[in-house]
Amino acid sequence: MPTPRRLTCQTCRSEEPHEPLTPKERDWLQGQLGNRVPDNYYKCVNNRPDGKVCLNLRTHSAEKHFRLTKRLPDALE
Ligand SMILES: [Zn+2]
C-alpha cells in the first residue's frame, strides 16, 4: 500500500505532505475520470492560509498529472 510522503504540489508551489486516497476519494475520482483509478494517486494535505486543506491531486510520478489542476471536494458524502 502507498504511504504518506512529501511531494511537490503544483498548487502550493512547494514540497508538501501528501497522502494516498481513501477508498471513498478513489471512488469519487473514478467517477470524475470514468475509468479505474490505480493506487498511485496522492492528495496534498498542506493547510492553506484560508484554513482549508489543499487537496490538490497528483500521481506519485507526475506533479502535473492533470492538464488542469484537480482537487478533491472538501467534504465527500
Ligand atoms: Zn498543495
Side-chain angles (χ1 to χ4, degrees):
M1 277 300 285
T3 50
R5 59 184 65 222
R6 292 187 69 83
L7 296 167
T8 55
C9 172
Q10 195 178 354
T11 305
C12 299
R13 297 173 182 279
S14 52
E15 192 181 276
E16 303 296 343
H18 282 66
E19 289 178 6
L21 304 190
T22 65
K24 200 175 281 186
E25 289 165 344
R26 272 173 71 161
D27 285 349
W28 178 86
L29 185 58
Q30 233 153 252
Q32 293 282 303
L33 302 179
N35 49 29
R36 229 184 74 74
V37 170
D39 62 6
N40 65 333
Y41 280 84
Y42 281 83
K43 60 176 186 252
C44 175
V45 292
N46 182 37
N47 287 304
R48 303 192 311 198
D50 66 4
K52 289 183 175 179
V53 180
C54 174
L55 296 180
N56 189 55
L57 294 169
R58 59 165 289 165
T59 58
H60 179 250
S61 55
E63 178 188 314
K64 295 181 174 68
H65 175 72
F66 298 105
R67 194 165 59 83
L68 304 171
T69 56
K70 189 181 251 320
R71 75 183 288 270
L72 290 168
D74 290 307
L76 280 175
E77 292 305 308

